[in-house]
Amino acid sequence: MRNACYHLFQAIGRHISKGPLILKKSQACLLLILVLGLNVPMLRAQSAPVNMGTSWLRIPDNARDGAMAEAMGAVPDTVDEAVLNPAGLGLLGGTYLTASHSFWIQNLSLDHFAFTLAEGGSGFSVGGDYINFGSISTYNVVGPNLVPTGSYTPMAVNGFAAFGTNLGMGLHAGLTGHFIYDNIQQSQPDQTASLDAGLLYQMPQSPLVLSAVLSNLGFNIDNSLLPLVLKTAVSGQIWFDAKPKQHYLTLASESDLLLTNNQFTNVGFGGEYWYKGLLAIRAGYRFINTQDLTGVTGLTAGAGLRFGDLQLDYSFMTLGDLGNTNQIELSVQLGTEATPTPTPKPSPAPTIAPTPPMPVLTPVQAPPTPVPAKSFMEYYRAGIQAYVAKNYPEALDNWFKAIVLKDPTVQPFFYAEACAMIGVVYKFDLPNHFLAHQFCNAALKIDPTTETALKLKHEIDATTTPIEGKYWEAEDDFEKGHYESAVKKLRQVIDAHDPTTPSFYYTETYCLLGVIYQYHLGEPDLAYQSYQAALKIDPKAKTANENIDKVTPPSTKPGQ
């Protein structure tokens, strides 16, 4: 009986194993070469697998990972990071519940659940797997005959708790502890404990993410060694839309080196494409030692559907003569913050405006915030993670801290992307058309080829009213030194008296007129009148308050 079970698990063991940055289109091919090339050499290392009754520990329990050929060890936005790479928990943001069911080969089934809480660069997850090996008949040997004695249903449980955190400089680390129990040997159920240790590194100024995980480091169970595996992986993402996590492609690869007894390597390559953040298609191929199996092996595919905070994933895997597997998974994000109702006054934002001696031209000014000693890329990526978790204020806070660092070692492209992402938030999530336009322009001034900003500009232009457009034309003239033309266009904005135009456009119009009159046309009286008009609309207008005393006529000053 024991040998019969072991033969089944050994057969399964031969064929299963476990495991944002925005790119320009010209970089997509390079990313594909890197993701594939870093793991292709591992194909040469394949040799015969060892026989172990614990191979069930290597059954994949994440549908998204399964559909991508179990290659997601370095993908930094997976809610099941606890079972893929615990270091990735430090990159998640939010609270998640996940449950999946796998219709595995030979009537095996696996149920998986996990609860994950992540914020502030650290994350914690608890969960477990329940494996049902189906009903197995038992016999006694009586002379030359086998006499049925009944049946039993072997099962196994794998409970886990994981923690991951950000170590700084793009490096993340995590640990997962496991409690493992099975009754594969009917009369001798057994239990043990194990540990997974993971590292994840986000390469600076690069879309590539690298990871390494040492899994199943622990004690024996059922007189068998745990399948000690070293997993190395690489991934990258290409975004095709201004709004993150809406229209993007993920490429990933992973190689698993079995360290127990012989060395055996599985290599998987997978891809995932999301359309408008609603529908995903996935495919992959896993190079595995097929031994004596016939038929199609190693081919994987799947799909995902996202509706609000719910996501449904499906995967399909081929294992030749052993059959095909199907897996379905449901995950939900809890406690998502609702998008604030648009208001006519903008939220606080940092200054993206001409440097002194020119005054600030933003409608509001954020209070100065001490910037901790973190790198630009850490703030930038923290902003992306917060954005994905729909924590928009935190995303803005991280990007603001990033752009004020002025790190000369960071390519301008990333500063442009940070400004563009701030614009994306103000355009789509915390609606403020003025600030969206302002940060989009700032991004294009830093790098006119920034695709995120170019696509954002297209969206902004499509919803810009003629009056708003006239203001931005005037500001463009101002920055080019065409002051008379700017004054003419600003007067056209004022004369329009459009009630549908947000009031802060008129505040900024008068402030900009005051700046031109005061600093460039030598008209202090007209500058004073312009600042007065701005303060009547908004008494807190920063530019007007900072400059009106400098042009106030002596006869109107208090005490004169």
Side-chain angles (χ1 to χ4, degrees):
M1 174 60 230
R2 174 181 171 185
N3 289 336
C5 289
Y6 268 42
H7 286 313
L8 173 60
F9 304 143
Q10 291 160 6
I12 297 170
R14 299 189 189 105
H15 309 287
I16 58 178
S17 65
K18 280 208 52 188
L21 294 177
I22 308 170
L23 292 183
K24 301 176 184 179
K25 292 179 181 178
S26 61
Q27 296 172 295
C29 292
L30 176 60
L31 172 63
L32 179 60
I33 293 171
L34 287 172
V35 169
L36 295 178
L38 288 177
N39 275 319
V40 164
M42 297 297 294
L43 291 172
R44 301 176 184 174
Q46 293 194 23
S47 60
V50 296
N51 293 329
M52 296 177 297
T54 53
S55 294
W56 59 268
L57 288 171
R58 298 162 60 199
I59 297 176
D61 43 18
N62 177 270
R64 188 179 173 203
D65 182 47
M68 293 176 63
E70 303 172 58
M72 290 190 63
V75 178
D77 60 356
T78 309
V79 296
D80 262 334
E81 293 287 6
V83 295
L84 297 175
N85 185 351
L89 290 170
L91 289 167
L92 290 175
T95 304
Y96 302 89
L97 280 177
T98 304
S100 67
H101 181 78
S102 301
F103 302 90
W104 202 247
I105 54 178
Q106 305 294 315
N107 294 321
L108 272 70
S109 66
L110 181 147
D111 293 289
H112 166 79
F113 75 93
F115 170 81
T116 302
L117 173 63
E119 61 181 12
S122 298
F124 175 77
S125 183
V126 293
D129 299 333
Y130 173 81
I131 299 94
N132 186 323
F133 296 101
S135 179
I136 298 178
S137 300
T138 58
Y139 300 85
N140 281 337
V141 179
V142 179
N145 302 316
L146 290 177
V147 178
T149 60
S151 64
Y152 86 108
T153 303
M155 52 77 70
V157 174
N158 179 9
F160 61 83
F163 176 78
T165 190
N166 179 5
L167 300 179
M169 303 300 293
L171 184 63
H172 303 259
L175 294 172
T176 301
H178 296 268
F179 171 78
I180 302 167
Y181 169 88
D182 72 36
N183 66 351
I184 293 175
Q185 300 185 59
Q186 185 178 10
S187 60
Q188 297 178 339
D190 205 354
Q191 62 191 32
T192 189
S194 69
L195 188 70
D196 301 343
L199 290 174
L200 187 145
Y201 178 62
Q202 296 176 306
M203 298 182 64
Q205 304 182 32
S206 169
L208 293 178
V209 179
L210 309 178
S211 79
V213 180
L214 183 63
S215 65
N216 297 322
L217 179 63
F219 305 98
N220 296 354
I221 186 171
D222 298 328
N223 298 317
S224 296
L225 297 173
L226 293 179
L228 183 62
V229 181
L230 176 62
K231 309 172 185 179
T232 58
V234 58
S235 74
Q237 290 183 336
I238 306 169
W239 294 352
F240 302 105
D241 202 351
K243 194 170 184 180
K245 301 302 178 185
Q246 295 293 304
H247 184 197
Y248 66 102
L249 173 69
T250 299
L251 301 175
S253 68
E254 180 176 319
S255 61
D256 298 350
L257 182 64
L258 187 60
L259 303 178
T260 310
N261 296 336
N262 295 336
Q263 292 185 339
F264 175 68
T265 299
N266 284 344
V267 179
F269 301 99
E272 173 189 64
Y273 172 75
W274 274 98
Y275 177 71
K276 292 188 176 180
L278 300 175
L279 177 66
I281 55 174
R282 307 180 181 108
Y285 189 82
R286 192 155 188 85
F287 295 87
I288 56 178
N289 192 326
T290 58
Q291 296 283 319
D292 54 351
L293 285 182
T294 60
V296 179
T297 61
L299 183 64
T300 66
L305 183 63
R306 184 183 296 156
F307 181 77
D309 297 327
L310 294 174
Q311 182 169 320
L312 183 66
D313 295 302
Y314 167 78
S315 70
F316 171 84
M317 305 171 66
T318 62
L319 292 172
D321 291 341
L322 291 176
N324 301 324
T325 73
N326 296 274
Q327 188 173 32
I328 189 167
E329 178 175 324
L330 178 66
S331 60
V332 57
Q333 182 175 2
L334 306 176
T336 303
E337 295 183 7
T339 301
T341 304
T343 56
K345 289 193 175 183
S347 303
T351 299
I352 298 292
T355 55
M358 295 307 303
V360 177
L361 294 179
T362 50
V364 292
Q365 172 69 25
T369 302
V371 181
K374 290 186 179 181
S375 70
F376 174 93
M377 296 307 298
E378 286 178 313
Y379 281 126
Y380 175 81
R381 290 190 171 109
I384 294 294
Q385 295 301 320
Y387 183 90
V388 172
K390 300 183 181 180
N391 189 343
Y392 306 123
E394 182 179 336
L396 290 176
D397 182 63
N398 279 287
W399 288 325
F400 292 159
K401 291 176 179 176
I403 62 177
V404 300
L405 288 180
K406 299 181 180 179
D407 185 348
T409 66
V410 177
Q411 295 179 3
F413 166 76
F414 287 102
Y415 276 96
E417 288 294 340
C419 289
M421 289 308 306
I422 294 172
V424 167
V425 171
Y426 282 127
K427 171 60 181 173
F428 298 103
D429 305 299
L430 302 178
N432 187 313
H433 192 77
F434 185 92
L435 292 180
H437 203 141
Q438 189 176 53
F439 281 97
C440 180
N441 286 350
L444 292 174
K445 289 172 187 174
I446 298 171
D447 184 353
T449 66
T450 307
E451 290 192 20
T452 305
L454 290 172
K455 291 171 181 175
L456 176 61
K457 186 177 186 303
H458 176 76
E459 296 288 340
I460 290 173
D461 289 346
T463 56
T464 298
T465 68
I467 300 303
E468 294 169 352
K470 189 65 68 176
Y471 171 85
W472 292 110
E473 290 177 14
E475 188 170 273
D476 186 56
D477 285 343
F478 166 76
E479 292 178 356
K480 293 177 180 178
H482 303 160
Y483 304 119
E484 297 289 352
S485 176
V487 169
K488 180 179 180 181
K489 291 173 181 176
L490 291 171
R491 287 296 180 189
Q492 290 175 352
V493 172
I494 294 170
D495 293 342
H497 299 295
D498 181 10
T500 64
T501 300
S503 62
F504 55 79
Y505 269 97
Y506 290 102
T507 303
E508 288 303 303
T509 296
Y510 281 116
C511 285
L512 186 52
L513 273 174
V515 168
I516 295 173
Y517 286 135
Q518 178 181 357
Y519 290 95
H520 300 285
L521 299 183
E523 298 283 356
D525 291 341
L526 293 178
Y528 174 75
Q529 295 173 13
S530 299
Y531 292 141
Q532 271 195 322
L535 292 171
K536 286 181 180 178
I537 300 172
D538 182 5
K540 296 181 180 180
K542 182 176 178 63
T543 302
N545 278 312
E546 288 184 348
N547 290 279
I548 192 168
D549 287 344
K550 301 174 185 178
V551 293
T552 300
S555 59
T556 63
K557 290 183 178 180
Q560 297 189 22

